[in-house]
Amino acid sequence: LHSYCKKSRKVYIYGAGGAAKRYAEYLDRKRITYQGFLVTQKENNPEQIKNHSVIPLCEFKSSFDEAGIIIGLNKKNM
């Protein structure tokens, strides 16, 4: 995960639940910068998690080619 994040220009975490927060804590501990959290829909999701924006996919402006996306979902939602 660490080397994957270092290769990506921008890192996002897909999800806003417990698994996504655990990935965010890992990245924070390793001092790896990430831009925010991606979610399918804005409804029922917070505006921010750990001082990072929660961005609905329809508003995601970065190119997927430039972004490294970590799937932070539980098994049920994968």
Side-chain angles (χ1 to χ4, degrees):
L1 183 61
H2 187 91
S3 61
Y4 174 76
C5 292
K6 291 296 182 185
K7 288 189 281 186
S8 301
R9 292 182 72 199
K10 295 180 180 180
V11 175
Y12 294 87
I13 300 170
Y14 183 79
K21 291 173 186 171
R22 283 190 297 277
Y23 278 116
E25 288 170 8
Y26 171 84
L27 296 178
D28 289 341
R29 278 194 314 271
K30 296 293 184 176
R31 294 191 174 119
I32 298 171
T33 302
Y34 59 101
Q35 276 54 52
F37 297 84
L38 300 175
V39 293
T40 304
Q41 299 176 7
K42 191 168 192 138
E43 296 128 18
N44 300 324
N45 284 301
E47 293 288 320
Q48 287 194 334
I49 299 172
K50 297 179 70 55
N51 295 320
H52 287 80
S53 297
V54 175
I55 307 160
L57 283 177
C58 65
E59 295 176 15
F60 183 60
K61 294 182 172 79
S62 185
S63 167
F64 281 104
D65 294 334
E66 297 176 354
I69 300 176
I70 299 167
I71 306 299
L73 301 174
N74 61 32
K75 289 182 181 181
K76 177 185 169 191
N77 291 321
M78 270 190 207

